[in-house]
Amino acid sequence: MGTKDIFAGSVITTKVKEVVAWGRKNSLWPMPYATACCGIEFMGTVSSYFDISRFGAELVRFSPRQADLLIVLGTINYKQAPILKRIYDQMCEPKWVISAGACASSGGFYNNYSVVQGIDEIIPVDVYVPGCPPRPEAILNGILKIQEKIVKEAKGKPDAA
Amino acid sequence: MPPDPVILEKLKEKFPTEIVSTNDSGEMPVAVIKKAEGHSILSFMKEEPALRFDFLIDLTAIDRQKLGGTPRFEVVYHLYSVTLKHRLRLKIQLPEEDLRLASAVDLWKSANWMERECAEMFGILFEGHPNPKKLLLFEGFEGYPLRKDYPIDRRQKIPVPEEKL
């Protein structure tokens, strides 16, 4: 009888890094930075019908120091850019960013003097969610993509997501 | 309600040389006036008992560059009298070479923010404004975005956070 049979069902072998990643991905604490209609969709995503807590990300924090997932929902103009940058800087490592919706990702249809053409000009973005605004399913899909990325980062393939 | 003819008559009577043109837009009488006596005309509009324009509804500017107009700018005042219930649209002509204009904040407090916005968007200098800072744009914004020659695809340098964390 090999060791595999002795411990079958009661022991799994893994790496600490991967266990930590498993914990992180299932308990993301999001901070919404909502400036437009995407924020309303996020409220729907968090609430019972779509229920973000199925993916362990229901603990929405309004202090960046307590959050590890920044979700930017809405139009970011030049005057807000330093504020968003500052909020991102206040978050502790490790941290991830979802850019939800057309405005946050590319400026959307605000091709004008006052709107930043995508928040990736200010802060690094991990996942872009398309839509104007994105439906709650799309935001949930974005969170799943972040989870995939967390696992792959732990396995040493950061760009695989 | 058709515009009250008294308003333009009073204006013509008091400032016969300052009026460029007058017309009736259908909603309210319109008067285009020269810059020199602009503030005295506004003051007259407020103080004259038969006019009593006690409320500045709106203040903005027009860049007539692509309309082929000279002078280039017009500052538009929408006045309303709460007591007498009549309206007036006053346009002060402003040449590109000299964009200074007396502030109307001493007459109507509502002019404060509207003049700040007008100043940052069109580059008009309201002299005597109590707080001539930018209202909607950030400090360091270059150019005047609502002028017709501001390119739609022009981007600004993104401002950085002021203090340390």
Side-chain angles (χ1 to χ4, degrees):
Chain A
M1 199 193 264
T3 46
K4 207 172 185 181
D5 298 321
I6 297 167
F7 297 119
S10 55
V11 171
I12 52 163
T13 56
T14 181
K15 295 170 190 159
V16 176
K17 220 161 58 167
E18 287 176 22
V19 174
V20 170
W22 174 82
R24 277 176 184 161
K25 78 165 189 162
N26 290 308
S27 67
L28 286 166
W29 289 23
M31 150 127 197
Y33 190 94
T35 55
C37 49
C38 296
I40 309 292
E41 294 297 312
F42 182 75
M43 293 173 205
T45 314
V46 176
S47 309
S48 50
Y49 191 86
F50 292 97
D51 198 7
I52 204 171
S53 66
R54 292 181 291 151
F55 308 99
E58 77 276 23
L59 204 60
V60 176
R61 297 278 96 179
F62 295 101
S63 165
R65 296 182 198 276
Q66 297 171 348
D68 57 2
L69 173 64
L70 178 63
I71 308 181
V72 182
L73 308 124
T75 323
I76 302 298
N77 55 36
Y78 282 96
K79 213 167 178 176
Q80 268 180 350
I83 300 165
L84 177 60
K85 167 79 176 148
R86 198 164 173 198
I87 280 176
Y88 176 78
D89 289 343
Q90 284 174 339
M91 290 168 65
C92 294
E93 296 279 355
K95 56 190 169 186
W96 297 274
V97 177
I98 292 180
S99 166
C103 289
S105 304
S106 69
F109 53 65
Y110 297 106
N111 179 17
N112 62 25
Y113 62 89
S114 62
V115 175
V116 176
Q117 304 294 298
I119 58 163
D120 48 11
E121 292 186 28
I122 317 161
I123 56 175
V125 175
D126 295 290
V127 171
Y128 298 86
V129 178
C132 185
R135 278 197 55 83
E137 294 93 328
I139 297 174
L140 292 174
N141 190 42
I143 285 172
L144 291 177
K145 289 285 172 198
I146 288 282
Q147 293 188 345
E148 279 175 31
K149 184 163 183 170
I150 293 169
V151 171
K152 282 172 184 169
E153 274 173 349
K155 287 183 175 165
K157 288 182 274 183
D159 294 323
Chain B
M1 199 174 79
D4 190 351
V6 175
I7 300 165
L8 291 179
E9 276 167 26
K10 284 270 178 197
L11 181 63
K12 283 174 185 165
E13 197 180 295
K14 176 88 179 175
F15 299 95
T17 57
E18 294 299 311
I19 297 162
V20 179
S21 66
T22 57
N23 69 302
D24 176 7
S25 70
E27 324 160 293
M28 61 181 106
V30 183
V32 183
I33 57 176
K34 290 178 192 164
K35 177 188 163 182
E37 292 294 318
H39 193 267
S40 349
I41 292 172
L42 290 173
S43 177
F44 172 72
M45 288 296 155
K46 190 190 175 192
E47 307 300 340
E48 168 66 33
L51 302 175
R52 249 188 284 176
F53 284 105
D54 41 21
F55 180 23
L56 176 66
I57 297 175
D58 195 16
L59 188 162
T60 186
I62 299 171
D63 181 358
R64 299 175 59 82
Q65 193 191 45
K66 292 191 176 165
L67 297 167
T70 45
R72 181 171 169 183
F73 294 100
E74 272 177 354
V75 179
V76 186
Y77 296 81
H78 281 189
L79 303 177
Y80 181 63
S81 171
V82 177
T83 40
L84 301 176
K85 297 187 172 45
H86 57 203
R87 289 163 197 271
L88 173 67
R89 182 181 301 148
L90 263 182
K91 298 181 177 181
I92 298 185
Q93 292 189 325
L94 207 56
E96 197 177 355
E97 307 81 61
D98 187 10
L99 291 168
R100 289 174 300 164
L101 190 65
S103 168
V105 179
D106 54 335
L107 301 172
W108 301 282
K109 282 186 180 173
S110 62
N112 191 319
W113 282 17
M114 296 193 278
E115 283 183 359
R116 281 170 69 185
E117 186 185 1
C118 199
E120 66 186 355
M121 295 294 176
F122 292 95
I124 292 159
L125 295 162
F126 289 94
E127 290 186 316
H129 193 285
N131 185 22
K133 288 195 295 187
K134 288 192 191 298
L135 177 68
L136 300 170
L137 303 178
F138 57 91
E139 288 299 327
F141 191 100
E142 287 174 5
Y144 303 106
L146 292 193
R147 284 192 183 184
K148 293 295 176 195
D149 53 5
Y150 187 94
I152 194 165
D153 53 356
R154 179 169 170 192
R155 299 286 172 253
Q156 299 283 327
K157 201 167 161 273
I158 293 175
V160 288
E162 281 169 14
E163 314 138 55
K164 290 191 171 165
L165 295 173

